[in-house]
């Protein structure tokens, strides 16, 4: 599912059951800028495929940058900017997006993540 006004550009793979909210931007490339003597629009593209795994959902007005993998069954909060990989079964929010909860398969509960440490509440 792709929400109204969303843009998907470049090599992007979306898994089964994944979806984008409204006005989400997902890119699989960036403009090259290695040669500072040239305008970036005159340089080769930096192509890095983006992957949104199965059953992951991206909230409205979010941006997913090139080369990122968003893991299975993740939830990305509205307005987030995803600059790095998000592990499966995670909730990530913000700019840049940070994981705030992960699903614990042993307990069957979503657990808070603070400073990359899972905290049972």
């Amino acid at each position: 599912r792709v929400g109204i006004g969303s843009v998907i550009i470049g090599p992007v793979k979306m898994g089964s059951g994944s979806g984008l909210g409204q006005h989400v931007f997902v890119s699989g490339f960036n403009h090259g800028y290695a040669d500072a003597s040239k305008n970036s629009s005159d340089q080769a593209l930096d192509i890095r495929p983006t992957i949104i795994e199965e059953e992951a959902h991206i909230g409205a007005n979010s941006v997913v940058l090139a080369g990122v993998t968003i893991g299975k069954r993740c939830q990305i909060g509205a307005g987030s900017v995803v600059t790095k990989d998000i592990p499966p079964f995670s909730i990530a929010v913000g700019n840049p997006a940070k994981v705030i909860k992960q699903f614990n398969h042993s307990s069957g509960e979503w657990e808070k993540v603070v400073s990359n440490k899972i905290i049972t509440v």
Side-chain angles (χ1 to χ4, degrees), residues 5-104:
S6 292
V7 175
I8 302 170
I9 188 166
V12 174
K13 177 184 175 188
M14 290 181 64
S16 176
S18 64
L20 308 179
Q22 296 76 24
H23 305 284
V24 173
F25 178 80
V26 183
S27 179
F29 67 83
N30 293 310
H31 287 283
Y33 59 89
D35 185 346
S37 69
K38 291 183 182 178
N39 185 316
S40 63
S41 63
D42 294 329
Q43 298 186 49
L45 295 174
D46 175 19
I47 298 172
R48 292 184 288 140
T50 299
I51 299 168
I52 300 171
E53 293 182 348
E54 55 275 359
E55 301 175 4
H57 292 93
I58 316 302
N61 300 307
S62 293
V63 174
V64 180
L65 298 181
V68 166
T69 296
I70 296 175
K72 179 178 181 172
R73 223 168 272 157
C74 282
Q75 300 292 313
I76 306 299
S80 295
V81 178
V82 184
T83 61
K84 296 182 179 177
D85 293 350
I86 305 296
F89 295 89
S90 296
I91 298 172
V93 299
N95 179 6
K98 295 187 188 304
V99 174
I100 62 165
K101 289 187 179 182
Q102 285 188 304
F103 188 74
N104 180 324

